[in-house]
Amino acid sequence: METMVFDVGETITRDDRYWGSWADWLAIPRHTLSALVGAVVAAGRDNADALRLARPGIDVRAEYRAREAAGRGEYLDEGDLYDDVRPSLAALRSAGVRVVIAGNQTACAGELLRGLDLPADVIVTSGDWGVAKPQPEFFERVLEVANAPADRTLYVGDHPANDVFPAKAAGLRVAHLRRGPWGHLWADDPEVVAAADWRIDGLSELVAIAEG
C-alpha cells in the first residue's frame, strides 16, 4: 500500500466526549443517550437518530449552532485520541506510507484535528470538502489527496455503510477496524467480511500490512 486513509470517529478519536457533551446539552443522562446510540447502531440507522429519539423533533444543525454560540461546541485534545494512533501513524510514515485522515466531521473538527499535530500528510473532513460519506464524490476526493492508484490506497474505518462498502465500491482496498460500537457489532457480518480486504483489531496491525 502506498497510501493509507483513516476515518476519524472511532478510528482516530474516541466518541465519548462527543456523545457525553450532547447528553449534557440535552439534559439527559449520559447512559440514556449511550443506550440510544447502541439501539440505532444495532438497527443500522444513522447515529444522529439517537438525538432524534432523545428529543423528538430536534433540529440537529440548529442545536449544533446553539451549542457553538453558547461556547459548548466541539472540542478535541490528546485525550480524545486512541492510544495506538500516534505510534502507528508515525511507524507507517517511517515505512514510506502516505498517511491521510479523512472522515465525516465538521470543518471545525478538521481545524481541531490539524491542531493536534498528528503524524499525517493530510487531514481533511467532509465539512472542508462539502461532501460526505458514503457519497461516491467523497471517495473521489480521497483519491485526489491519496496521490496513489485506488488499488494501492487502503481506507481504514469502523463503519460498514460509511467506510467499508463505499470505499470498496470506489475501488480502494479496505481494512475494517473492530473498534467502537459499529466496528464491534458488525465485525462478523458476512457482507463486511466479504468486502474487507483486512479485518483488524488495532492500528498497529497496519504496519505489517504496509511492509507486506
Side-chain angles (χ1 to χ4, degrees), residues 78 85 99 101 106 129 160 172-173 197:
E78 195 72 20
V85 170
V99 172
I101 296 173
T106 63
W129 280 342
L172 285 75
R173 308 295 294 278
D197 297 284

Side-chain angles (χ1 to χ4, degrees), residues 1 10 14 19 55 68 70 78 95 104 124 132 141 149 162 170-171 183 188 197 208:
M1 295 294 101
E10 293 301 341
R14 302 166 58 98
W19 291 113
R55 183 68 57 80
E68 289 288 329
E78 195 72 20
N104 271 0
V124 68
R141 298 297 298 270
N162 283 347
D188 296 320
D197 297 284

Side-chain angles (χ1 to χ4, degrees), residues 18-127:
Y18 178 83
W19 291 113
S21 65
W22 268 113
D24 295 345
W25 176 257
L26 297 176
I28 61 174
R30 291 188 172 196
H31 172 71
T32 297
L33 186 56
S34 178
L36 290 174
V37 170
V40 300
V41 169
R45 294 164 59 179
D46 182 75
N47 56 10
D49 284 345
L51 301 176
R52 299 182 182 104
L53 289 170
R55 183 68 57 80
I58 189 174
D59 183 331
V60 177
R61 291 185 178 180
E63 290 296 323
Y64 178 85
R65 292 192 295 269
R67 288 183 57 188
E68 289 288 329
R72 296 173 62 181
E74 291 183 272
Y75 182 78
L76 289 172
D77 64 19
E78 195 72 20
D80 294 300
L81 300 176
Y82 275 98
D83 292 341
D84 59 358
V85 170
R86 285 194 183 277
S88 299
L89 300 193
L92 288 170
R93 293 184 83 191
S94 295
V97 175
R98 179 172 173 82
V99 172
V100 176
I101 296 173
N104 271 0
Q105 272 71 35
T106 63
C108 175
E111 290 293 334
L112 293 168
L113 283 167
R114 289 186 284 272
L116 294 178
D117 193 28
L118 292 166
D121 297 284
V122 177
I123 299 176
V124 68
T125 67
S126 57

Side-chain angles (χ1 to χ4, degrees), residues 104-189:
N104 271 0
Q105 272 71 35
T106 63
C108 175
E111 290 293 334
L112 293 168
L113 283 167
R114 289 186 284 272
L116 294 178
D117 193 28
L118 292 166
D121 297 284
V122 177
I123 299 176
V124 68
T125 67
S126 57
D128 296 324
W129 280 342
V131 62
K133 297 182 292 184
Q135 297 177 56
E137 293 81 4
F138 180 93
F139 292 93
E140 291 172 7
R141 298 297 298 270
V142 164
L143 285 171
E144 289 174 6
V145 298
N147 291 349
D151 63 355
R152 301 293 295 170
T153 300
L154 177 65
Y155 195 86
V156 183
D158 64 299
H159 199 301
N162 283 347
D163 301 326
V164 176
F165 301 142
K168 192 70 173 182
L172 285 75
R173 308 295 294 278
V174 177
H176 181 244
L177 175 63
R178 187 193 296 265
R179 176 174 284 177
W182 290 267
H184 281 93
L185 183 63
W186 299 102
D188 296 320
D189 179 83

